[in-house]
Amino acid sequence: MYLNEKAWQVQNDNQHVISEAIKQFLQVYAVLAKRYHQYSIYVPSKDEPYLRSMTYSIGQWLGGVDKEYQRLYLTFWNKRMIYDINDEYAFTCNGEELIGGTEAALNHSFMVSIGIEEKWKRDIIEGSLYSVIEDKEEKAFVSNVFKKEQLNEQFDQKMQKMFHLANKPKNYEQLWNMRERLFPHLEFCPSVQSDLTMMEAVCFEQILKKLMELEEYTNRYGGREFKPEYLSKTTPESKRTLDEYAGQHTFFDKDKKGHLASWHMRFTGGIPGRIFFEPKYKDDKILVCYIGGKLPNATYK
């Protein structure tokens, strides 16, 4: 769940409109927390939410509402997950770049908007997603939640698809310990365990989703010709990079055999993340070689 930071950046001095919009936002948050156990909304480090009103502040609003709304707001604020801004992609809507929209589009998630302006009171925000790496723009659609009535049976199905793992891991240590059950078609270089200890919590859900995607792909297409187009945001390194930085891209499996890893999936959050893997490890297995930030390449050192 990603905060739509642009929805807060509105100049409006109508205290009633602002107050009702904040209450509606918190009603959504309350259902997400209680029904789906999603207590943390991802908030970009550069644009933490604040009101643009010249005459009405969050402090004033908190002083005028009952304790239940005060508690909800403080819970939302204290449990928020702050992430660094992605500079490799940009989701734009009507000429405006939405940081939360970028993350939601990349991670198949959704935005949570405050409905001060009518334009954010839509189930779907249509825009375009631009990739700096590929220098390519494509149409994109981001699911948007702005009122609790949207959290219905159809939304339940979306949430089940996003978080369908029963007894899923809650942290990196659990992910590593549960890897054989969760990812029977993936092997992991032993060094990945150390990689995970270095990762920020803000990246956890995205890493888990990417590994689930890689597991599903291997389960369905293992043993066939590798089809990177069946995976999201997956590209190889250039020959120049592999020639110049072979050492940084070589990883060892459990049998201490080295593998030069070129193919990688990209994820975002606290860092511009990468999951490097060897797709031709075994007929029914993909080898996960590295999880972390960018590795040195011909354009990034």
Side-chain angles (χ1 to χ4, degrees):
M1 303 177 294
Y2 294 88
L3 187 83
N4 178 0
E5 79 288 347
K6 281 290 189 292
W8 289 80
Q9 299 171 6
V10 178
Q11 182 64 50
N12 190 316
D13 293 319
N14 187 318
Q15 295 186 12
H16 176 73
V17 169
I18 294 173
S19 179
E20 291 304 305
I22 298 174
K23 288 179 181 178
Q24 193 169 66
F25 172 84
L26 292 175
Q27 289 166 11
V28 168
Y29 175 75
V31 176
L32 290 172
K34 184 175 181 179
R35 186 185 301 173
Y36 305 107
H37 308 289
Q38 300 299 308
Y39 296 96
S40 298
I41 293 180
Y42 288 87
V43 176
S45 57
K46 182 180 175 182
D47 291 287
E48 295 191 34
Y50 66 95
L51 297 173
R52 299 298 176 91
S53 172
M54 300 294 290
T55 60
Y56 196 45
S57 67
I58 284 289
Q60 288 174 295
W61 178 82
L62 284 169
V65 295
D66 60 38
K67 289 184 179 180
E68 179 63 18
Y69 280 114
Q70 292 175 0
R71 183 191 64 79
L72 276 172
Y73 184 84
L74 293 175
T75 302
F76 149 67
W77 185 252
N78 291 331
K79 290 186 177 293
R80 74 198 187 281
M81 296 286 283
I82 299 172
Y83 63 90
D84 292 331
I85 298 168
N86 186 326
D87 60 359
E88 296 182 343
Y89 295 89
F91 175 82
T92 57
C93 174
N94 297 323
E96 288 187 286
E97 181 178 348
L98 277 67
I99 298 170
T102 300
E103 298 296 330
L106 288 173
N107 295 295
H108 310 292
S109 187
F110 59 92
M111 289 195 306
V112 183
S113 296
I114 187 170
I116 298 175
E117 274 191 311
E118 288 298 319
K119 68 180 180 180
W120 303 121
K121 297 180 181 180
R122 290 183 284 166
D123 293 346
I124 300 292
I125 304 297
E126 181 178 344
S128 60
L129 184 66
Y130 175 71
S131 168
V132 175
I133 297 173
E134 301 171 5
D135 190 24
K136 184 175 70 174
E137 187 174 75
E138 58 186 22
K139 186 174 287 189
F141 302 88
V142 173
S143 296
N144 181 53
V145 178
F146 60 90
K147 61 181 180 179
K148 65 179 182 180
E149 288 76 15
Q150 291 173 273
L151 307 180
N152 51 27
E153 184 177 342
Q154 185 177 7
F155 186 83
D156 286 347
Q157 294 173 358
K158 290 182 181 179
M159 289 297 287
Q160 288 171 13
K161 186 176 181 180
M162 286 174 58
F163 304 102
H164 72 274
L165 280 179
N167 301 316
K168 72 172 186 175
K170 302 295 191 299
N171 55 50
Y172 295 113
E173 182 180 6
Q174 291 181 8
L175 187 154
W176 180 257
N177 291 335
M178 298 166 65
R179 66 191 185 281
E180 292 182 3
R181 178 175 69 82
L182 296 175
F183 316 114
H185 297 89
L186 303 182
E187 292 280 354
F188 292 80
C189 288
S191 57
V192 172
Q193 183 177 14
S194 298
D195 295 340
L196 293 175
T197 65
M198 304 296 291
M199 297 303 299
E200 296 288 341
V202 70
C203 298
F204 178 75
E205 290 289 351
Q206 297 171 44
I207 290 172
L208 178 59
K209 287 179 186 177
K210 291 295 183 182
L211 291 175
M212 288 165 56
E213 182 182 353
L214 202 56
E215 165 64 26
E216 183 178 353
Y217 169 86
T218 314
N219 183 36
R220 295 182 64 183
Y221 303 108
R224 307 181 194 179
E225 180 185 358
F226 179 55
K227 297 285 187 180
E229 63 269 23
Y230 292 175
L231 294 166
S232 63
K233 313 302 177 190
T234 300
T235 53
E237 290 286 17
S238 67
K239 182 179 183 302
R240 178 184 165 192
T241 289
L242 296 179
D243 288 341
E244 292 184 16
Y245 299 100
Q248 291 90 334
H249 288 76
T250 298
F251 303 91
F252 295 88
D253 62 21
K254 63 184 180 182
D255 297 320
K256 299 182 180 180
K257 180 181 178 182
H259 299 268
L260 185 62
S262 174
W263 287 100
H264 56 278
M265 305 176 81
R266 299 189 293 278
F267 64 90
T268 60
I271 58 170
R274 302 289 187 269
I275 297 178
F276 277 84
F277 62 92
E278 170 51 63
K280 298 179 181 179
Y281 181 56
K282 296 178 181 178
D283 282 347
D284 61 342
K285 297 272 190 176
I286 277 178
L287 178 68
V288 178
C289 298
Y290 168 84
I291 300 176
K294 286 181 180 179
L295 293 177
N297 60 47
T299 57
Y300 173 82
K301 302 178 181 180

